[in-house]
Amino acid sequence: MIREIKKEEIAELIQKVDELGRYLTNHPEVSGEEKESCEYITQFLKKEGYEITAPYGEMPYSFRAVDKEKKQFHGKKAVFLCEYDALPEVGHACGHSYSCAISILGALLLKKFYPDLPMRIDLVGTPGEEFVGGKCYMTENGAFDEYEYAAMIHLYNRDSTYFEILASNDRYFTFHGKAAHASAFPEEGVNALNAARLYMEAMDMWRQHITKDCQFHGIVVKGGEAPNIVPEEVCLDYYYRAATLENLWKLNKISENCARGAALATGTEVEWQQRYPDYGEIYWNEYMDQIMKDIFEHVGRTCEDSPGPGGSSDIGNVNLKIPVFHPLLDITGKDKTCVVHDRRFERILHTTEMQKALYDGGKILYELGYLLATNEEKLKSIKEMHKKYRKLV
């Protein structure tokens, strides 16, 4: 049976980790610029008895923290993930500052109360979640190969067992035509904007006929030089999403065929590139769902159903290799009008209410870490179902 934790007996620890969360909140650094955030976190963890490897997984401003007392541990290992990049203009409206703090508190609670836990819990800092997709590259570079599972908590406007993210990728289209004076010699021109418009119309016509999990959205990055010049080069930037990577790749094929057709119909040429890696979806099932529901209830929170698919995250790529726990933790008092990436959401991070969220989130990861370290059958079942879904067996 897991040891019950009273808030007063870890008050000093909560205060220290809360200060870390507040520092990150008050010093936001956007993706790719998390130098000071990474330095602050790793210095904090060194004082708590961790050995730091930085960078880790060949990703700038990343790290791995290993409990020095378990440095020579040869048993199973799990990882709690730390995100700490912010957003332009709205800072940590993503909630990453306190999500990071929650992962650290969960690991420190296990270190404090279960130093002989039959599993090593490492902390890995994963920069660039909002842009670039740091975990995608770290996964490719083997950063998570030795772990049984990964876990972290995302802040939200409801309590839910998991974040239903979609697989995602991009295409950057460039249509090439021929410039000419739009009034004097229009017949000499080949209109790249017409091709782009035709592509956009063709994709919109597909909306009725693709599976309901599929989404796509795009913008015109370059539409021409001037109204009196037939557009010679037009660029579109599109994102695609789907419930699975397989459905995503089918959507990509439709998109590419529409681009070819639009170019053929208008006498233009088209090329495209994928600038960012594929983001995978997170595999989740009823067995894992019940585990998380029980843990949430034990810490005094009742989970709502998933809000449905919304957005994508590089944590899906970690899930290509190992099981992932990525529940949502309410910090808004279930105010559905207060959403992530909103300034109102960011302002909550500056309130004293965050200590409650930090405490609850830390306990959730503490209980999950204990359960999967001491119940071999549960961990085995989770891994087997994950391997079957990912076709790793």
Side-chain angles (χ1 to χ4, degrees), residues 120-139:
R120 195 179 83 190
I121 307 294
D122 293 349
L123 287 159
V124 170
T126 60
E129 191 276 337
E130 294 293 349
F131 182 69
V132 179
K135 296 185 198 65
C136 301
Y137 300 103
M138 294 176 73
T139 300

Side-chain angles (χ1 to χ4, degrees), residues 193-203 258 261-263 265-266:
L193 182 58
N194 284 347
R197 290 173 56 206
L198 195 56
Y199 165 79
M200 297 172 82
E201 289 294 327
M203 285 302 295
C258 286
T266 55

